[in-house]
Structure formats: structure tokens, C-alpha cells
Amino acid sequence: MTRASSPVRVHAEITGIVQGVGFRPFLHRLAAREQLTGWARNTPAGVELELEGEEAAIRRFVQTVKTAPPPLAVVEELYLHRVPPHGGETGFVILPSTAGTAATLAAPDLAPCPACLKELYDPADRRYRYPFLNCTDCGPRFSILRALPYDRANTSMADFAMCPDCAAEYSDIRSRRYHAQPDCCPVCGPRAFYLDGDGKQQEGDPIALAQQALAAGKIIAVKGTGGIHLACDARNESAVRRLRQRKHREEKPLAILCRDLETVEGFCSVTDEEQRLLQSPRRPIFLLEKRHFHGPESFSCLSENHRIGVMLPYTPLHVLLADGSSGGPAAMVMTSANLPGCTVILDNAEAVAGLHGVADGFLLHDRPIVNRCDDSLAAVWQGREYFFRRSRGYAPQPLTMPDASADGILAFGAEQKGGFAAGKSRHVFLSQHIGDLKNAETLDHYRTALQTCLRLFGVRPRALVSDLHPEYFSTTEAKRASSAMQLPLLQVQHHWAHMAACMADNRLDGRVFGIVWDGTGLGTDGNIWGGEFLLGDLHSFRRVGSIRTIALPGGDAAVKQIGRTALSLAWDAGVLPIAMPQLQPLPGRETLLAMLEKDIRCPKASSIGRLFDGVYALITGRTQAGYDGQAPALLEALAEPETAGRIYPTAYQTGTDSVRRFDTRPMIAALSTDLAEGVPAAAVARGFMDTLCRMALEQCRALNPEKLPVVLSGGVFLNLYLLRAVTRLLEAEGYTVYSHHRVSTCDEGIALGQLAIAARHLHQ
């Protein structure tokens, strides 16, 4: 490039989420600040522009675009090359979009930006206390989107004609509401209203009425961006227990929405990293450590665990509801409003009818929700999000892959935590949280979300991929689609897909050693796997390690009746007389023992998830699980940091299939003896988990002599104690360890692995 005194000109192309997010006004302001001339316009691929001016100014411009774009924007690629200077331009202009323009990406829903929050509480502002204010830097996006390009006519704002003031802002390049499609105000936009428990609209300020109801201990339904929640005062134990009873959610943890960080710190300890991510525009629910795990301030009515799911307000309506201006609480339970086993409710009339007798009031609004999007749930691990579920605030923002090999591949995921992945060019679009596909309403949501994804982003499937299990509803859907579209279908083993998901998450391509621990998945030998050690890559894999199989009396019944698994473990280890006195009465015990002895209706699973179930039942005496994943979560909570455990015996057997299996029997015998001798439950729980971590290290030493990179995946690694301890042990021995950050480690993220494997097979 030339000397600073001579003007230079560059042509640039920018791809990513750069349309409908205030990107062109941002470029306009930045060019003016740097005294650059030129132009910008939208194209089918993103944004195209030319800049002319001093070399140093252009460099500063490019650096700012890369490192500090608008909050909703994501700059994936910026291609730059020199062109001859023009001269004679007097400023920077926005040119008309090129023909056929359609944004290839859409932004997720994001929390109000600081500028909008300032307006929200400015009495002189025309949007003072208006629950739907937004701008190009924040607000609803995916939840209101019907079609692309992202124009107002293609959103649920189409029925709200802009008033002259909003239209003027929308057309003013200098305004931060320039081309903000949801732009609105109290004159022309959506409105909130409050209904009593019978659905009758109440006169007065709807926010104030809702706050007063919450302060009085009532339960109200609150409509957000991606669904309707049930809310109550989080510190009112009677209200919380009443909510649990009405919703039939007796034990599963409840999330809370807090006014601000100070309120959060009344419940939880918060690290600097957690503060940063809590306040991010994406506003997921974060799992934080309780300040007190025992005593009256343990908030056990919210969660039996030592963590609580906490989020900060993510819409202006939630900000107002939590501000206490009319006496409402600073912390509210916020749990999805859904009928038992169904998806979260979206529609006002459905909410009033379906929640009659559950909600004492309804804070609703008249902007339709187009795309259901539950709250995201994450913990902080290694300074980043570690997803339990990836949804609002993240979907539908795609993952960017190293190349376009996944283009046109559609992966159908698993079943209990259903989710799909669709490839287009270098992008992979992941579904928002969907849930258990065995439920008819959830399966319908899955189908709708899948068709919406294909339509919105123009994905044209050329190959399909599913799980190996023939009875998964996702597999059935994949087979139906394969037949209907006459497309090839690849079926991928469950745990290999988990391993591949972690590889794709971390952009790994070569051979790895996979530690995949989950509940159940069909193995290549026709048996149920779940505690696996794999060697392989995206092309193939080999099962080299596992655990001794656990007999499950009655099959699926043992998943809920975890006392059955405890009985099986104790029977297998030969310690029934020692172990059984600790268990609560187990219905049909003699019949179950006969089933075990005669091997009748006792399918076997090498499942770490089922091992956790059985050990939790042995330690606590509980024979029933209240929800999926309860035993691993509560066993983790039992293991108090100040109570040391001991490493139980580890033993291994190598079968005729050359798979090295951890023999659980010595461990079960030892911990059962400890329990019988009065060793504290906290010590036994910690000892059990420490033994599993030691087992992971010993298997890695024996089965991964090349010290290949280690990837950790599977729902059991939602247990953060295991995740941290296994990572620490392996890294101390020189292994490079990878875990998930862009997708969930549970079955929700498995579609990414299916897609990565299919991409490799199609391009080998």
C-alpha cells in the first residue's frame, strides 16, 4: 500500500449475520468517524462495500468491523482487496441492495441494549416504560420471523403499522432504529394486558397488576419472546410449592429471574466470568452455586441441588416486571408454562384455557410468537458457556465449519432430547431446544421446527443421517423423509455420534480417544451401550473400553424405579444382605430377584447413567427418580467439597470382543460396606465419583497409549464434578482434553456429530 498521504481504495465483502442488525448504519457511522468515502450495500451473500481514504484509517475501520461489530451482528469472513482510487466522492452512501437479496442468516432474540434501557426509564422519552421497545442492536428476531429476507412484512410485526414518528426513525440512516424491523412505540406497537385467573381483562397498568399479584403470593403466566412462563415470588416458599403442585413438577429444579446482579448474589455465589456471561445480550439461564446448601436459606424448594438456574431479564417486559415499582419481587420463579408432557404454550387463548386453575393471572401481549424458543441453560466451564440446552439467545445462529462438506446434509438427532442439524455451505443450523420426541406434541414441534429451518435458510437436503436405533422417533422421521424425498439415509451409532459432535464442536479432524458416558444408546452389537471408550475419527471408530453391563429388571421401568437398578447392582456384586437394608421398601422385590436370577426381562446396559441411578438409590435409599438425570445431579450435590471420600477398588476384564471393561462389582461391594458401617453419604458419593474419574484415567492409560486427543461427551458429563475431575486428572498426565462449548454434551447435541460423520462419508 502507499504512503499515508496518498488515498487508497479497497473493495470488501463481509459474510455472517450482517443484515437486519444495523450493520449498514454502523458502517456509515464508522466511515464518517474515520473520514472515509465510499459505499455499502446488501447482497445475497452478505454486505459489499468500497472504502477510500488514508491507509491507517482503512486499517482502523477494518479492525473495528472485525472486533466490535453491532451487538446482533456476527462477522464470519471479511474479504479485502485493493482497487484503483476513484476520487471525487464527498461521503459514504448506502446503495440499493442487489437483485435477489435475501439474508442467509437470521439473528437470535437478544436482551435490551443499554440505550434502550435508558429510554425505558426516561420519563421524557416517548417509549417510557414501554414493554416492547427495541432497536437494531437488540430485541426480538427469530421468535417473530416468518420468512426471509428479514423484512417487517415477514415477521409477526406485519400487523402493526408504524406511526409517523417510528417511520421517520426507520428511514433515518443516522438513527439506531434505521431498518429496525420490530420498531414500534405505544402509539403503533404491541400492547400488554393483564387478565385475572378466569381470563377477564383487568383495568389498570398491566405491569403493576402483575407485580401486585406476585407480591400477594399468586402465580401468574407471563408471555415472553419465545413462549409463556409461569411465575411466582421465588422467596415465597408457599407460592413455590403451590406452583410445583399445580404444574405437577414436584422435584425438578426451577429457574429464577432476578432483577439485577445484587439480587442474584442474594441466592448464589457469582464469579467474574459468570457475571460477564449473565449480563451478555444472550441472557441464558446459568447454573450458579447456592450461597447456602443447608439450612433455611438453602432454597431447597427451588432446587435440591447445590446449584440454582438464574437469569437476568431478557425483554423490556421482564425488566419492568422485576423492577419492583409496584411492590413486586426482585426474584421470580420462571418456569415454562406447559401442560404435562407438552411443549411450552405460545398462544394467549391456549394459555388462558390450558392454565385455568394453574395461573391466578395472566400478563400477556398481542404480538404473536412465530417460533417457539425455550430458555437456554448453561454453566460456565473454562470461561465459556457449557450448554445443558442451547436455545433462546443462540438459535438460529449457525455454527461455522471449516469447509462446505456438510452442505445439504440433514441430521435427525436422537430422541429423549430431540434436535436436528442442517448443513448449508459452511454453516450448520441447529434446532432450538425441542424435548422428548416420545410425546406427540413435542414430535409435532420437532417437525414444524425442522420444516421452518429448511424453508428459512434455503437448505436443500441431498443426504440424511439418523441414529442407529430403529425405534427412535427421530429415526422413523428420517426413514420417512428418505423415502419421500428419495434421498440416501446413513445411520450412525449413538456414541460415535457423541464423539464426533465433540470433535466438530472443537474443529478436530484426526484420530481421537473418546470417553462417552450417557444413559443409553444402541450399540453396533445390538446391545445397549452407555459407558464407552472409543478410538477413531469421523470415518470410523472402534469400541475399545466399556463397563460391566448392568441388568435392568423390567427394562425401561428401571429408569424411573431406580431401586430396581440398585437391587441389580447389589445382586451382581453379591452384597444383597448388606445393601438392601438401606433401600426403602421395593415393590415386588422377590419377583425382581427371580427375574435377575433367571435372566427374564432383564436387558443389560453398559450405562454410566444407570450406574449413577443405582448407586444413588443405594446411598440415599430412594427407589424412585422424579425426573430424567435426577440421580446424577443429586449424587453430585451429595459430594460436599469438605467431605473427603476414598477411591474404591477398580478392576478390569477383557472379553472375547477385546473390549476392556471396568468391573463394577468390587466398587459396589466396597461402597455398600461403607454405607452399612455408617460412612457419611457425602463421603460415599464423592468416593464413587472419584472412582469413576480414576477409572477414566486408567482406561485412558491402557487404551490410548499414543496419547491421542481425548474428547468428553455424553449426558453424564453434565455432572460438572466429573467433568472437572476427569479433565484435571487426564491433563495432569499429559493428555489434551476437549469438551463441549458450542453445543450441548447431551443428546441434544448429537445431531452435529451425525452430520459431521455423514459429511466425511460423502466426501471420502
Side-chain angles (χ1 to χ4, degrees):
M1 299 181 81
T2 60
R3 295 174 303 177
S5 59
S6 302
V8 297
R9 190 175 184 91
V10 296
H11 180 274
E13 295 177 2
I14 305 172
T15 63
I17 301 179
V18 291
Q19 295 186 19
V21 293
F23 203 79
R24 290 172 299 163
F26 160 76
L27 297 177
H28 188 278
R29 293 191 296 270
L30 185 56
R33 189 179 79 191
E34 296 294 348
Q35 298 182 341
L36 298 171
T37 62
W39 53 265
R41 64 184 173 192
N42 283 342
T43 72
V47 169
E48 178 186 21
L49 68 151
E50 289 194 359
L51 296 167
E52 188 165 326
E54 297 291 337
E55 176 184 352
I58 290 177
R59 285 179 174 169
R60 288 193 299 270
F61 182 102
V62 171
Q63 182 64 17
T64 301
V65 169
K66 288 180 176 179
T67 61
L72 281 168
V74 176
V75 175
E76 293 186 344
E77 300 286 353
L78 194 156
Y79 304 98
L80 197 70
H81 66 273
R82 287 277 300 275
V83 294
H86 285 190
E89 291 174 318
T90 57
F92 189 87
V93 297
I94 305 297
L95 298 180
S97 301
T98 57
T101 295
T104 57
L105 304 181
D109 303 286
L110 294 188
C113 67
C116 282
L117 287 176
K118 184 177 179 181
E119 292 175 344
L120 186 66
Y121 284 105
D122 180 0
D125 193 278
R126 68 190 185 93
R127 294 185 176 89
Y128 175 60
R129 297 190 67 82
Y130 179 57
F132 306 99
L133 86 171
N134 65 86
C135 70
T136 53
D137 292 340
C138 66
R141 293 297 189 273
F142 178 56
S143 63
I144 63 172
L145 185 63
R146 290 194 173 107
L148 288 173
Y150 176 63
D151 294 329
R152 192 179 183 99
N154 291 330
T155 73
S156 59
M157 291 296 295
D159 294 336
F160 301 94
M162 282 188 282
C163 67
D165 287 339
C166 286
E169 291 173 328
Y170 182 86
S171 304
D172 185 355
I173 188 68
R174 297 164 298 178
S175 170
R176 76 176 200 282
R177 292 190 169 93
Y178 176 72
H179 282 202
Q181 305 304 334
D183 188 21
C184 59
C185 73
V187 173
C188 63
R191 66 182 187 93
F193 45 89
Y194 186 81
L195 312 177
D196 66 14
D198 293 321
K200 182 179 179 181
Q201 187 165 331
Q202 304 297 292
E203 295 297 324
D205 179 357
I207 302 294
L209 292 170
Q211 288 180 331
Q212 291 160 12
L214 291 167
K218 294 183 177 181
I219 297 164
I220 66 168
V222 181
K223 187 175 182 180
T225 53
I228 296 175
H229 289 85
L230 288 170
C232 70
D233 183 348
R235 289 184 177 272
N236 185 330
E237 187 167 340
S238 173
V240 174
R241 296 198 182 283
R242 194 163 60 253
L243 172 57
R244 283 193 176 281
Q245 182 182 17
R246 292 181 183 180
K247 199 189 173 193
H248 306 289
R249 185 169 174 157
E250 287 78 11
E251 296 177 303
K252 196 171 184 180
L254 297 168
I256 57 174
L257 181 144
C258 291
R259 177 184 300 163
D260 48 30
L261 276 176
E262 183 180 357
T263 305
V264 174
E265 289 171 340
F267 290 84
C268 304
S269 301
V270 191
T271 67
D272 291 344
E273 288 176 340
E274 288 167 342
Q275 286 189 24
R276 176 178 59 83
L277 290 170
L278 265 174
Q279 296 178 96
S280 77
R282 299 181 188 274
R283 298 287 165 91
I285 301 169
F286 271 106
L287 289 171
L288 305 179
E289 293 280 344
K290 290 180 181 177
R291 281 201 174 276
H292 306 283
F293 186 44
H294 300 292
E297 287 296 298
S298 68
F299 301 108
S300 59
C301 62
L302 299 173
S303 169
E304 297 176 273
N305 206 333
H306 55 84
R307 295 188 184 89
I308 301 178
V310 178
M311 59 181 159
L312 293 177
Y314 60 89
T315 73
L317 184 145
H318 290 97
V319 172
L320 294 168
L321 184 62
D323 70 7
S325 56
S326 293
M332 294 165 279
V333 167
M334 280 282 171
T335 184
S336 297
N338 58 305
L339 305 177
C342 299
T343 54
V344 63
I345 294 173
L346 305 183
D347 179 72
N348 293 345
E350 182 186 359
V352 172
L355 299 175
H356 186 265
V358 177
D360 301 312
F362 299 83
L363 177 60
L364 304 175
H365 59 76
D366 57 359
R367 185 181 67 206
I369 299 172
V370 178
N371 296 305
R372 178 183 281 107
C373 208
D374 290 82
D375 297 321
S376 294
L377 175 63
V380 178
W381 165 238
Q382 297 175 332
R384 298 168 60 191
E385 296 97 333
Y386 186 73
F387 288 108
F388 284 56
R389 65 175 183 246
R390 179 186 182 273
S391 198
R392 178 189 52 76
Y394 298 88
Q397 183 177 331
L399 306 188
T400 303
M401 309 306 286
D403 55 43
S405 60
D407 182 59
I409 298 175
L410 180 57
F412 284 75
E415 179 171 86
Q416 190 173 30
K417 294 179 174 64
F420 57 81
K424 182 179 182 184
S425 185
R426 293 179 57 205
H427 293 129
V428 173
F429 296 93
L430 301 172
S431 62
Q432 65 270 42
H433 171 72
I434 291 177
D436 190 345
L437 302 187
K438 289 192 290 291
N439 174 271
E441 288 81 5
T442 308
L443 181 59
D444 185 61
H445 172 31
Y446 175 92
R447 291 167 174 158
T448 301
L450 177 55
Q451 292 305 314
T452 297
C453 176
L454 299 182
R455 175 177 53 80
L456 280 180
F457 305 114
V459 178
R460 298 183 181 277
R462 61 188 177 93
L464 312 179
V465 55
S466 75
D467 194 272
L468 198 61
H469 200 302
E471 295 179 7
Y472 278 1
F473 279 94
S474 57
T475 304
T476 303
E477 288 294 299
K479 289 180 177 178
R480 181 191 58 78
S482 173
S483 175
M485 294 189 281
Q486 293 296 293
L487 292 175
L489 172 65
L490 174 68
Q491 293 187 265
V492 172
Q493 198 280 323
H494 189 92
H495 301 91
W496 183 25
H498 265 302
M499 183 179 86
C502 193
M503 292 176 65
D505 198 337
N506 290 279
R507 299 183 175 91
L508 302 177
D509 190 55
R511 294 178 68 232
V512 300
F513 183 75
I515 301 179
V516 182
W517 291 354
D518 69 354
T520 56
L522 183 64
T524 53
D525 59 1
N527 295 314
I528 300 300
W529 295 1
E532 311 310 321
F533 298 85
L534 311 177
L535 276 173
D537 51 26
L538 297 177
H539 181 262
S540 63
F541 81 101
R542 183 163 55 95
R543 185 195 196 200
V544 293
S546 187
I547 69 169
R548 179 178 174 83
T549 57
I550 302 167
L552 304 176
D556 286 346
V559 176
K560 286 288 181 92
Q561 298 177 21
I562 58 176
R564 295 183 179 217
T565 307
L567 180 72
S568 174
L569 289 172
W571 174 81
D572 190 37
V575 292
L576 272 175
I578 299 173
M580 293 317 293
Q582 282 111 236
L583 273 177
Q584 295 171 1
L586 188 61
R589 173 180 164 181
E590 297 306 317
T591 300
L592 294 171
L593 283 173
M595 291 167 62
L596 287 166
E597 289 165 358
K598 297 177 181 179
D599 195 16
I600 298 172
R601 292 186 60 232
C602 288
K604 296 175 176 62
S606 59
S607 167
I608 298 287
R610 301 292 78 79
L611 180 61
F612 261 94
D613 289 346
V615 170
Y616 178 71
L618 289 172
I619 293 174
T620 64
R622 292 180 59 167
T623 59
Q624 297 283 332
Y627 57 90
D628 177 54
Q630 182 183 34
L634 295 187
L635 201 149
E636 179 186 2
L638 278 176
E640 300 167 358
E642 63 273 11
T643 305
R646 70 181 178 96
I647 304 293
Y648 291 113
T650 55
Y652 302 88
Q653 299 172 324
T654 301
T656 56
D657 56 1
S658 300
V659 175
R660 187 176 191 260
R661 291 178 173 83
F662 169 58
D663 188 345
T664 57
R665 292 174 296 181
M667 176 185 68
I668 296 299
L671 68 82
S672 296
T673 300
D674 274 2
L675 289 166
E677 293 177 352
V679 174
V684 177
R686 184 168 177 182
F688 165 67
M689 292 193 294
D690 286 344
T691 303
L692 290 188
C693 297
R694 171 61 57 177
M695 180 266 288
L697 175 61
E698 291 173 353
Q699 290 280 59
C700 201
R701 285 172 176 165
L703 302 172
N704 184 18
E706 301 174 62
K707 290 207 167 181
L708 296 171
V710 179
V711 299
L712 307 179
S713 192
V716 170
F717 282 111
L718 293 176
N719 180 311
L720 299 179
Y721 184 98
L722 278 186
L723 176 69
R724 291 167 180 150
V726 169
T727 300
R728 183 174 61 250
L729 279 176
L730 294 178
E731 288 182 342
E733 293 236 352
Y735 295 98
T736 303
V737 183
Y738 294 91
S739 51
H740 287 274
H741 283 293
R742 297 195 292 166
V743 299
S744 173
T745 190
C746 70
D747 280 7
E748 182 180 282
I750 209 170
L752 177 63
Q754 294 173 345
L755 182 141
I757 290 168
R760 177 56 52 88
H761 276 248
L762 288 174
H763 288 81
Q764 58 183 324

